[in-house]
Amino acid sequence: EVIDITKLSGDTVKFGANNRQGTFKHTRLANADLIQQYRSSTTGVRWSVPDTVLIRNSPLSYSERLNRDLGIYIQDTWRLNRLTVNLGLRWETLNARVNAGESPAGRFVPARTFAEIQDVPAWNDFAPRMQLVYDLFGTGRTAIKYSLNRYNLSRTTGIAANYNPLLNQTATLPWTDKNRNDIAEGTLRCNFTSPDCEINFASLSANYGIAALNTYGAYPRTWNLESGLDIQHELVDGLSVGGSWYKGNFHNLTTTINESWTLADYSPYTFY
C-alpha cells in the first residue's frame, strides 16, 4: 500500500526543556564525638556496667553539587485513518561533582582537606518515546494501544556522595571506666595501659576518619526499555474498562569490583 504523506496530520507539536541543579550540604556534630554504651550488670551491685564507646569522625562539613540535570524534548502526533502515532525524543544530560571539602580536627580525627572531584557522573543520553493507538472498530469507543519507551535512571547527588572522602564514620571500641566517674576518658590512640586512658584503640583502623574510596568506573547510565500493550473500551458515556500488560528490560546495571583480588585469592570447588 502506498501512503500519501499529505494525508498525515501532525498538529500537536510540543517541545521544551526542564532542568534542576543544587548543592547538598552536610554537617555532623556530636557531643564529645562519642556515645557511651553499657551492658547489664551480673553482680547486682550496679544496674549497668560501662562496656564500649561509639566514636565518630566529627566534626564534618562537606557537600556535593548537582551541576545540571537537563532534559530537552520534542514530540508530535500524527493521524492516519484509525491509527494515531505519538512520537517523542528526549536528550538528557546529568553532571555532578564532589565539592572541595575542609573539616576541622575533632577528638578522634585530624583536620581534613580534599580537592574537588568532578564528573561523578557525567552522562549524556537519548530517550526515545513512542505510542501507537488504533481505533479498532472506527467508532471511537474501543482502542488498542502499544507503547515502547526508554527511561533513563534519575539521580541527583547520590553517586557523587559515594565518592566523598568526608563521609560520616563510626567505630565501636572497648571502654573500661578505670576511675569510676562514668566518663569515657582518653585521647586518640592513647596507651590503654595508662590510668588516664580508658578507651582501647588497638582495633581502630589506621586510616579511621577518612572514607576508603572506591574508584569511579565512569560507567554508563542505567536505563529501562519499557513496552506496554493496552486495550480500552467505553461501555457507556463516562464509563470505560481496560486491561494492560507491561514489560521492562533494564540495561547497564552497576556493580562493585574488588580490584585488589585476583584468581589466586580464590579456591576452586566443584559441585555436583
Side-chain angles (χ1 to χ4, degrees):
E1 179 181 1
V2 178
I3 299 177
D4 184 358
I5 61 174
T6 61
K7 295 182 179 180
L8 294 174
S9 173
D11 54 4
T12 56
V13 178
K14 296 180 181 179
F15 61 90
N18 61 282
N19 184 44
R20 57 178 175 172
Q21 59 187 31
T23 301
F24 192 4
K25 298 180 180 180
H26 316 260
T27 57
R28 297 286 187 274
L29 298 172
N31 184 26
D33 294 336
L34 63 72
I35 297 175
Q36 299 180 174
Q37 301 180 137
Y38 301 79
R39 56 180 168 83
S40 299
S41 174
T42 58
T43 63
V45 178
R46 300 178 62 182
W47 286 102
S48 59
V49 177
D51 183 58
T52 56
V53 291
L54 182 74
I55 68 170
R56 299 184 178 277
N57 65 333
S58 50
L60 288 170
S61 177
Y62 58 97
S63 64
E64 300 88 31
R65 171 75 180 175
L66 179 63
N67 297 322
R68 63 181 176 275
D69 181 12
L70 172 65
I72 301 173
Y73 69 91
I74 183 170
Q75 65 184 59
D76 198 3
T77 300
W78 290 271
R79 295 182 180 88
L80 177 63
N81 298 327
R82 299 182 188 178
L83 180 66
T84 302
V85 181
N86 299 303
L87 293 178
L89 182 64
R90 287 180 60 88
W91 179 75
E92 299 177 345
T93 174
L94 190 147
N95 187 282
R97 71 173 186 262
V98 177
N99 289 330
E102 182 176 350
S103 291
R107 181 176 177 183
F108 304 110
V109 289
R112 292 140 292 168
T113 302
F114 292 95
E116 180 181 276
I117 303 174
Q118 298 181 353
D119 298 333
V120 279
W123 288 332
N124 298 282
D125 300 276
F126 284 100
R129 310 290 170 85
M130 180 193 74
Q131 184 186 52
L132 307 177
V133 182
Y134 186 70
D135 185 354
L136 188 59
F137 303 113
T139 61
R141 300 175 67 91
T142 306
I144 296 179
K145 307 175 184 179
Y146 173 75
S147 60
L148 184 65
N149 303 297
R150 169 170 167 158
Y151 299 97
N152 294 319
L153 176 69
S154 177
R155 297 303 296 259
T156 53
T157 58
I159 293 177
N162 291 335
Y163 299 94
N164 196 322
L166 291 175
L167 296 178
N168 183 42
Q169 287 185 311
T170 62
T172 301
L173 302 174
W175 166 36
T176 301
D177 190 14
K178 297 178 180 180
N179 58 14
R180 292 183 171 272
N181 65 352
D182 202 30
I183 299 175
E185 299 174 334
T187 57
L188 178 62
R189 304 190 189 280
C190 60
N191 187 351
F192 189 60
T193 61
S194 174
D196 58 352
C197 181
E198 300 181 344
I199 303 173
N200 191 341
F201 291 93
S203 61
L204 186 64
S205 171
N207 62 345
Y208 170 74
I210 301 173
L213 295 182
N214 292 334
T215 300
Y216 178 60
Y219 49 81
R221 193 172 191 172
T222 300
W223 56 279
N224 173 30
L225 185 64
E226 185 171 295
S227 57
L229 185 64
D230 304 76
I231 184 169
Q232 185 176 5
H233 177 68
E234 184 182 42
L235 296 176
V236 296
D237 290 342
L239 179 63
S240 298
V241 294
S244 304
W245 174 87
Y246 293 98
K247 180 182 179 181
N249 291 302
F250 287 85
H251 302 262
N252 296 339
L253 297 177
T254 60
T255 186
T256 300
I257 300 174
N258 190 336
E259 295 182 332
S260 65
W261 289 0
T262 66
L263 291 178
D265 296 307
Y266 294 87
S267 299
Y269 290 91
T270 302
F271 296 90
Y272 296 96

